[in-house]
Amino acid sequence: AQSVTQPDIHITVSEGASLELRCNYSYGATPYLFWYVQSPGQGLQLLLKYFSGDTLVQGIKGFEAEFKRSQSSFNLRKPSVHWSDAAEYFCAVPSGSQGNLIFGKGTKLSVKP
Amino acid sequence: DGGITQSPKYLFRKEGQNVTLSCEQNLNHDAMYWYRQDPGQGLRLIYYSQIVNDFQKGDIAEGYSVSREKKESFPLTVTSAQKNPTAFYLCATGQGLQETQYFGPGTRLLVL
């Protein structure tokens, strides 16, 4: 069965520092992969998605993610974090037959001034 | 203005009461989904609908019911059988299997 693991529950970084959020997946075939961001009390916003092709995917707000099949990973990165990036981040894969997404439990990002 | 609307933003339920959460979309998407979010749990699928007049149970459907009479609307009823309804409820839409999903702003349900 498909699954997603986000090993880090909470990460704190200083403003201006680089960021990497980890995501590992279990999927039977070449997966579609998604990263979403959620501000407190809000819905989820799509940051980026990987369907096929180039393994380095660019998204909104300066984020990027790299698909590594050998490591079953799809880590999210940003070179320089801004205070407004403080939020919760979710990695997701499609379930397959139901059409819904299977989400990791999320990583909460805090940004120190 | 295209998008997904959910109402109300906050909803209070009394013991033994059924309450209905609204989800409306004008994105012309065929598929609609209801997720429940609890702190530290990620999102879990309650119900989904791939087409009008058809819907399927998700992973945690007990105590919930839905209808899909119009393409634009997918209301969720939290029944009195749902003993722990306090959560954040998110509606999403999509174009089909493995496609991007788009989320509404959510409804927070609290129990009085």
Side-chain angles (χ1 to χ4, degrees):
Chain A
Q2 291 85 342
S3 66
V4 176
T5 302
Q6 294 180 246
D8 304 305
I9 296 172
H10 189 188
I11 285 181
T12 300
V13 299
S14 297
E15 191 167 16
S18 64
L19 171 70
E20 183 169 29
L21 301 182
R22 296 183 289 165
C23 172
N24 294 100
Y25 66 87
S26 172
Y27 198 84
T30 301
Y32 291 15
L33 293 156
F34 303 84
W35 273 101
Y36 285 85
V37 61
Q38 184 182 35
S39 297
Q42 303 295 316
L44 276 68
Q45 180 183 21
L46 179 71
L47 279 176
L48 50 79
K49 59 188 178 185
Y50 171 77
F51 282 175
S52 65
D54 194 344
T55 56
L56 186 62
V57 181
Q58 301 297 321
I60 63 171
K61 306 184 181 190
F63 285 92
E64 66 179 25
E66 186 171 13
F67 169 59
K68 293 185 177 181
R69 184 192 305 274
S70 61
Q71 298 177 20
S72 297
S73 70
F74 188 55
N75 294 349
L76 182 71
R77 301 193 296 244
K78 186 170 185 178
S80 177
V81 169
H82 187 262
W83 64 266
S84 60
D85 294 324
E88 192 156 18
Y89 292 80
F90 293 92
C91 182
V93 295
S95 69
S97 58
Q98 296 181 147
N100 63 296
L101 296 178
I102 295 174
F103 288 84
K105 294 189 176 182
T107 298
K108 184 176 180 180
L109 173 66
S110 297
V111 180
K112 292 190 300 186
Chain B
D1 201 15
I4 304 166
T5 57
Q6 291 187 243
S7 61
K9 188 174 176 64
Y10 295 95
L11 185 57
F12 298 91
R13 194 191 90 164
K14 295 180 182 178
E15 194 77 31
Q17 186 181 38
N18 292 354
V19 293
T20 298
L21 287 61
S22 170
C23 178
E24 302 279 333
Q25 57 113 348
N26 61 6
L27 300 173
N28 201 34
H29 288 168
D30 289 314
M32 297 187 74
Y33 308 87
W34 275 105
Y35 293 91
R36 171 177 170 146
Q37 185 178 24
D38 297 280
Q41 294 297 314
L43 279 71
R44 294 181 290 170
L45 181 68
I46 305 172
Y47 267 97
Y48 66 101
S49 169
Q50 299 288 359
I51 197 169
V52 175
N53 292 321
D54 185 53
F55 51 83
Q56 305 295 330
K57 293 181 179 180
D59 301 320
I60 57 165
E62 186 174 351
Y64 300 96
S65 66
V66 294
S67 63
R68 186 84 188 276
E69 297 176 1
K70 298 186 301 181
K71 186 175 186 177
E72 301 79 19
S73 179
F74 192 40
L76 173 74
T77 296
V78 183
T79 74
S80 57
Q82 174 49 248
K83 298 305 180 188
N84 184 23
T86 297
F88 192 52
Y89 291 86
L90 288 158
C91 177
T93 71
Q95 290 283 45
L97 296 180
Q98 306 198 73
E99 294 297 322
T100 301
Q101 290 188 11
Y102 300 88
F103 285 81
T107 292
R108 186 165 298 282
L109 177 59
L110 301 165
V111 177
L112 293 177

